[in-house]
């Protein structure tokens, strides 16, 4: 499977991470060609850390891994939806999802 077509518009593309069983949106991260290749090879999510400028294997340090159950591209082939089996919380704050701040009611 050639993945180059997903990176024709940009070197980094957004990946929405969703719980494969519940449909809950867990997080958003960015992938480049190398991180997507590693995700496909290992069956676990790999991303590109924009702040650190390096590959990042979700859960390698925390143990909160994401086993990939399916990867889907949007109609423009420039955004991915990655369905995962999440072990532990997805958010670095310890919450299950990164999407817990309702506008006007930020509760970090």
């Amino acid at each position: 499977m050639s993945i180059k077509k997903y990176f024709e518009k940009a070197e980094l593309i957004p990946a929405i991470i969703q719980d494969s069983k519940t449909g809950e949106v867990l997080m958003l991260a960015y992938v480049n060609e190398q991180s997507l290749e590693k995700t496909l090879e290992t069956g676990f999510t790999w991303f590109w850390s924009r702040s650190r400028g390096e590959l990042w294997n979700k859960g390698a340090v925390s143990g909160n891994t994401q086993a990939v159950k399916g990867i889907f591209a949007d109609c423009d082939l420039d955004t991915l939806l990655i369905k995962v089996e999440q072990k532990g919380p997805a958010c670095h704050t310890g919450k299950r999802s990164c999407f817990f701040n309702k506008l006007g009611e930020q509760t970090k």
Side-chain angles (χ1 to χ4, degrees):
M1 168 181 153
S2 175
I3 61 171
K4 292 197 180 298
K5 63 184 171 188
Y6 303 108
F7 299 95
E8 289 176 357
K9 296 177 186 172
E11 290 181 19
L12 287 179
I13 61 172
I16 301 160
I17 312 304
Q18 181 183 46
D19 185 289
S20 63
K21 291 180 183 153
T22 67
E24 179 181 19
V25 175
L26 300 173
M27 57 183 279
L28 178 125
Y30 290 87
V31 295
N32 63 8
E33 195 171 336
Q34 185 181 11
S35 63
L36 183 54
E37 285 173 351
K38 290 189 77 68
T39 296
L40 293 168
E41 288 170 11
T42 66
F44 288 88
T45 54
W46 284 79
F47 305 112
W48 180 258
S49 171
R50 297 180 301 162
S51 60
R52 295 189 309 267
E54 63 185 17
L55 287 176
W56 160 47
N57 176 217
K58 176 66 176 156
V61 174
S62 67
N64 300 325
T65 57
Q66 296 174 334
V68 175
K69 299 301 177 185
I71 302 177
F72 304 85
D74 74 338
C75 57
D76 294 322
L77 302 180
D78 61 3
T79 301
L80 299 179
L81 172 66
I82 304 178
K83 295 188 178 195
V84 301
E85 182 178 306
Q86 177 69 45
K87 178 181 173 188
C91 186
H92 72 280
T93 65
K95 296 200 183 272
R96 172 142 176 88
S97 169
C98 292
F99 295 97
F100 56 86
N101 284 309
K102 184 174 180 182
L103 268 67
E105 299 176 17
Q106 283 75 15
T107 60
K108 287 190 181 187

